[in-house]
């Protein structure tokens, strides 16, 4: 059953008793079986650095007088509001992760005495401004917003600092902004504290069913070993959904036949569920986007490895520097899954030394699974004691009509829209320069910024090329079946699952000659000198004109793809996991066998 962390925000003017009520609600929730985190959300970095007389002077609303000073004050207020909103979001996310780490199967809750409603009142932005929209959206993550309301005289008597007039104005602002949170409940703060707490708990429990009937058992009652797989990517991830996510899904299902399996991944709202015998726990970091989210994921994952009991951990490496250094935090064995050794590529893209972090981190892994011999050599070069296990990805074999092998009406690109990494700028330049007698269709989705770059390139190159968006299911089947051949112009690939999918349809693959893609050699592929746009243009033009060559290469591609299957891949992972779990100490392959012996052993299993 899928459950989210219950987020309770206690809001209201000074003197309403927010802190004391938040404490009472947290204590009551613990009594109901919840693991509760209580973040301290007062004071962003600006509030901590500036004195009260400066930080309270500005709001995000425009001042009545249209002067330079009033405009400057409004700008400062807006900037302060953005900083406050960002820090509030981070602290709530940290508290949610902390509650999940300590939950151990129990339902989790976060209770704070300052939420997005308080930020709206503090900065009082223009109702239709971007800041108001962001804070309103943040308030929607709160399952319950308890607004403590009382007469200004009551607030002034309790507060002892502000007079009745300012508190009355503050109360009116709370009432005005209270319509923004979708689940705001007004609670009478003038009642006795016990009465207020009881009413608040009634409102909270009405939003979330009492967990006794849904709580999951702790421990390992069935005696099966617990295997954890961590991956930033997921089949529901709107930004990636790559081959690594599909691999984790297939392997987790196979391992769940004989082991307890938990998959740690990322989603916008967090939550957990059990599907196909696999427990999925999603860290609520999706709001941070694909790049900043990956950095936060690297920061949170070691805490989970420390807190979550397990017998074996499979860590799928994540950009920008691959490793999260989990062997330093886990009490059990950690196996690295090198679905992507991204350090070098990310260093070239962002001009930061990510590759140094990756090289240093590889030294802590006893075992790393690689997809190709080139990555295996890289791992052994930087960490000679690490044993590499060569297990390629698999594929679901589609039904293929013999007459469609090598036959089609267009050149196809299928993959994530990431202009630099996937080499889409090089592909469009080659297609425009070579002018092949076939149009180029690009299918895939990516971050909004990357999609905008692609649209700009399509307009600038003037090539006969068109982006058709994301294709899935039967649309993807028709897209691959109808193309003459596919092109993989990536600047870096760990395996290229799209190439294997194309080969399964009997379609040749044109690609840059990267060491990590040489598993295709002799399988209907057409390698081109790396990043040579003119050579790529010549091959696109030649293959588009030569139907007989396409059919010959397509038959080779189809035959080569028959060696790859998810059943075989998942079986190899199951064999590896069982061997590592059964080993009483470091296995012979770690201490004595050479890396190449270990790879041959895995390839034959």
């Amino acid at each position: 059953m899928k459950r989210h962390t219950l987020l309770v925000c206690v809001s209201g003017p000074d003197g309403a008793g927010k802190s004391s009520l938040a404490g009472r609600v947290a204590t009551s929730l613990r009594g109901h079986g919840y693991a509760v985190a209580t973040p301290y959300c007062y004071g962003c970095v600006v509030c901590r650095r500036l004195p009260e007389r400066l930080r309270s002077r500005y709001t995000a609303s425009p001042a009545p007088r249209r002067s330079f000073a009033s405009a400057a004050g409004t700008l400062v207020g807006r900037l302060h509001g953005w900083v406050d909103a960002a820090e509030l979001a981070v602290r709530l996310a940290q508290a949610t992760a902390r509650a999940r780490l300590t939950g151990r199967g129990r339902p989790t809750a976060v209770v704070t005495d300052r939420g997005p409603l308080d930020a709206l009142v503090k900065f009082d932005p223009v109702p239709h401004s971007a800041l108001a929209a962001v804070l309103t959206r943040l308030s929607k993550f709160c399952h319950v917003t308890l607004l403590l309301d009382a007469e200004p005289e009551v607030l002034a008597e309790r507060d002892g600092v502000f007079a009745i007039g300012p508190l009355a104005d503050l109360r009116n602002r709370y009432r005005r902004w209270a319509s923004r949170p979708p689940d705001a409940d007004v609670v009478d703060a003038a009642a006795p504290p016990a009465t207020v707490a009881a009413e608040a708990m009634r409102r909270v429990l009405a939003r979330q069913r009492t967990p006794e009937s849904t709580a999951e058992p702790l421990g390992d009652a069935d005696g099966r070993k617990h295997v954890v797989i961590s991956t930033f990517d997921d089949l529901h991830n709107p930004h990636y959904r790559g081959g690594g996510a599909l691999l984790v899904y297939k392997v987790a299902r196979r391992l769940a036949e004989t082991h307890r399996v938990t998959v740690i991944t990322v989603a916008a709202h967090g939550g957990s569920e059990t599907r196909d015998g696999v427990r999925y726990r999603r860290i609520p970091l999706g709001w941070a986007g694909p790049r900043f989210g990956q950095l936060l994921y690297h920061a949170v994952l070691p805490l989970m490895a420390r807190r979550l009991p397990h017998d074996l951990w499979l860590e799928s490496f994540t950009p920008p520097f691959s490793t999260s250094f989990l062997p330093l935090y886990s009490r059990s064995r950690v196996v690295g899954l090198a679905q992507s050794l991204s350090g070098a590529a990310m260093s070239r893209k962002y001009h930061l030394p990510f590759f140094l972090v990756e090289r240093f981190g590889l030294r802590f892994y006893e075992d790393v699974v690689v997809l190709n011999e080139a990555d295996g050599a890289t791992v052994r070069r930087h960490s000679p004691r690490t044993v590499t296990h060569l297990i390629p990805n698999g594929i679901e074999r589609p039904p293929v009509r013999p007459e469609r092998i090598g036959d089609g009406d267009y050149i196809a690109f299928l993959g994530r829209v990431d202009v630099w990494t996937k080499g889409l700028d090089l592909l469009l330049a080659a297609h425009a320069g070579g002018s092949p007698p076939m149009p180029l269709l690009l299918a895939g989705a990516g971050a909004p910024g990357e999609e905008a770059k692609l649209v700009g390139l399509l307009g600038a190159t003037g090539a006969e090329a068109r982006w058709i968006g994301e294709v899935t299911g039967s649309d993807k089947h028709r897209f691959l079946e109808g193309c003459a051949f596919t092109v993989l112009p990536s600047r870096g690939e760990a395996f290229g699952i799209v190439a294997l999918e194309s080969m399964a349809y009997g379609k040749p693959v044109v690609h840059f000659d990267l060491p990590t893609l040489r598993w295709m050699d002799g399988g209907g592929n057409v390698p081109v000198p790396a990043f040579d746009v003119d050579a790529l243009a010549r091959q696109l033009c030649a293959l588009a004109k030569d139907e007989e060559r396409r059919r010959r290469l397509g038959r080779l591609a189809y035959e080569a793809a028959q060696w790859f299957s998810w059943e075989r891949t998942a079986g190899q992972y199951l064999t590896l996991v069982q061997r590592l779990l059964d080993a009483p100490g470091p296995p012979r392959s770690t201490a004595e066998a050479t890396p190449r012996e270990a790879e041959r052993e895995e390839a034959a299993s």
Side-chain angles (χ1 to χ4, degrees):
M1 180 177 179
K2 188 174 180 178
R3 292 198 308 273
H4 298 297
T5 296
L6 177 63
L7 177 55
V8 181
C9 296
V10 181
S11 301
D14 293 326
K18 292 186 292 185
S19 298
S20 60
L21 178 59
R24 286 173 177 263
V25 170
T27 301
S28 297
L29 286 174
R30 292 188 181 100
H32 281 79
Y34 283 81
V36 182
T38 54
Y40 184 76
C41 295
Y42 274 94
C44 65
V45 64
V46 176
C47 296
R48 292 194 299 271
R49 297 294 182 183
L50 294 180
E52 171 67 25
R53 62 184 178 83
L54 291 179
R55 67 173 184 257
S56 62
R57 181 179 300 175
Y58 306 109
T59 70
S61 295
R65 294 178 60 189
R66 297 292 181 176
S67 65
F68 176 79
S70 65
T74 299
L75 177 60
V76 172
R78 289 173 181 168
L79 294 176
H80 186 186
W82 281 105
V83 173
D84 189 280
E87 191 158 338
L88 176 63
V90 170
R91 290 188 180 184
L92 292 178
Q94 289 174 337
T96 302
R98 186 167 67 251
R100 291 188 179 280
L101 288 173
T102 58
R104 294 178 59 83
R106 292 177 293 163
T108 55
V110 172
V111 181
T112 176
D113 56 355
R114 183 178 186 270
L117 176 57
D118 299 278
L120 284 167
V121 172
K122 175 181 178 180
F123 296 101
D124 199 23
V126 176
H128 300 294
S129 65
L131 178 58
V134 168
L135 289 172
T136 299
R137 183 175 180 182
L138 187 58
S139 70
K140 294 180 180 179
F141 289 92
C142 303
H143 295 91
V144 185
T145 297
L146 298 173
L147 173 56
L148 295 179
D149 186 75
E151 294 298 326
E153 293 79 8
V154 175
L155 299 175
E157 182 179 356
R158 291 180 179 177
D159 181 65
V161 176
F162 293 100
I164 294 177
L167 287 174
D169 178 65
L170 193 61
R171 182 198 187 196
N172 292 334
R173 282 161 64 178
Y174 269 101
R175 289 182 170 184
R176 176 159 49 87
W177 286 108
S179 60
R180 290 298 181 108
D183 295 313
D185 286 327
V186 179
V187 179
D188 183 12
T195 303
V196 175
E199 177 63 16
M201 278 304 300
R202 186 185 69 79
R203 307 283 182 91
V204 170
L205 294 178
R207 304 285 185 184
Q208 183 89 344
R209 190 184 308 173
T210 304
E212 283 79 3
S213 62
T214 59
E216 299 181 4
L218 301 178
D220 189 10
D222 56 9
R224 296 185 299 167
K225 297 292 183 69
H226 186 198
V227 179
V228 176
I229 309 175
S230 59
T231 171
F232 179 84
D233 198 6
D234 182 74
L235 291 179
H236 301 290
N237 190 323
H239 303 294
Y240 295 109
R241 284 175 289 185
L246 184 57
L247 171 79
V248 169
Y249 171 72
K250 296 289 187 180
V251 170
R253 288 182 60 185
R254 182 63 180 275
L255 294 180
E257 296 174 4
T258 52
H259 302 80
R260 287 196 308 124
V261 180
T262 298
V263 175
I264 306 295
T265 184
V266 169
H269 304 294
S272 60
E273 66 174 330
T274 299
R275 188 175 70 246
D276 299 323
V278 179
R279 171 76 167 166
Y280 289 86
R281 296 183 61 176
R282 296 186 172 89
I283 309 172
L285 298 175
W287 57 268
R291 294 178 177 84
F292 187 49
Q294 287 174 338
L295 296 176
L296 291 177
Y297 173 77
H298 278 297
V300 171
L301 198 59
L303 300 178
M304 301 199 71
R306 191 68 177 173
R307 301 289 185 100
L308 181 62
H310 58 277
D311 298 292
L312 184 70
W313 191 295
L314 307 182
E315 178 196 352
S316 182
F317 288 163
T318 301
F321 38 73
S322 302
T323 171
S324 293
F325 295 88
L326 292 195
L328 297 178
Y329 300 91
S330 170
R331 296 181 175 88
S332 301
R333 196 165 197 158
V334 177
V335 179
L337 306 184
Q339 288 290 307
S340 174
L341 287 177
S342 55
M346 294 295 101
S347 294
R348 289 193 297 269
K349 183 176 182 179
Y350 295 108
H351 308 290
L352 293 171
F354 294 126
F355 70 97
L356 295 178
V357 181
E358 178 182 273
R359 292 179 183 179
F360 179 69
L362 287 174
R363 296 177 177 271
F364 298 100
Y365 293 81
E366 295 182 40
D367 301 270
V368 172
V369 177
V370 296
L371 301 178
N372 54 77
E373 171 57 31
D375 281 346
T378 299
V379 172
R380 294 192 297 271
R381 183 168 65 252
H382 301 310
S383 180
R385 294 180 60 85
T386 300
V387 178
T388 56
H389 309 270
L390 179 58
I391 306 180
N393 282 344
I395 192 176
E396 300 284 355
R397 298 193 185 105
V400 177
R401 292 180 292 172
E403 66 273 13
R404 297 297 289 174
I405 291 180
D407 178 59
D409 304 318
Y410 52 85
I411 304 169
F413 167 85
L414 176 64
R416 186 174 77 253
V417 175
D418 187 332
V419 171
W420 190 90
T421 303
K422 293 300 183 180
L424 298 181
D425 52 339
L426 305 179
L427 172 59
L428 291 176
H431 190 268
S435 299
M438 283 186 179
L440 170 65
L441 297 188
L442 302 101
E450 293 296 329
E451 293 181 351
K453 289 181 186 178
L454 176 58
V455 171
L457 283 173
L458 287 169
T461 57
E464 189 183 356
R466 184 161 55 95
W467 173 46
I468 63 174
E470 186 177 17
V471 292
T472 58
S474 59
D475 292 335
K476 181 178 178 180
H477 171 77
R478 288 191 293 269
F479 179 74
L480 288 174
E481 186 181 50
C483 73
F485 60 94
T486 62
V487 57
L488 193 69
S490 302
R491 287 180 166 90
E493 286 282 352
F495 182 76
I497 189 69
V498 171
L500 182 56
E501 290 176 333
S502 303
M503 293 164 62
Y505 280 88
K507 307 297 180 178
V509 180
V510 180
H511 62 92
F512 287 130
D513 187 17
L514 306 179
T516 54
L517 297 180
R518 287 175 185 164
W519 61 268
M520 284 190 285
D521 286 353
N525 63 311
V526 181
V528 175
F531 320 134
D532 189 332
V533 174
D534 292 335
L536 179 60
R538 289 193 296 270
Q539 286 294 351
L540 293 180
C541 191
L543 199 58
K545 294 178 179 178
D546 194 340
E547 182 178 353
E548 181 57 35
R549 184 188 177 201
R550 293 200 309 271
R551 292 188 180 277
R552 176 172 55 82
L553 292 174
R555 286 189 291 269
L556 291 174
Y558 179 78
E559 292 170 1
Q562 303 311 300
W563 289 94
F564 298 87
S565 71
W566 283 122
E567 181 179 359
R568 175 185 173 126
T569 297
Q572 289 179 284
Y573 273 94
L574 178 61
T575 300
L576 174 63
V577 166
Q578 289 177 332
R579 181 159 59 84
L580 295 179
L581 286 173
D582 292 341
R588 178 191 174 275
S589 60
T590 300
E592 303 174 36
T594 66
R596 193 169 297 278
E597 289 173 341
E599 290 180 352
R600 283 200 298 266
E601 178 182 353
E602 287 306 309
S605 61

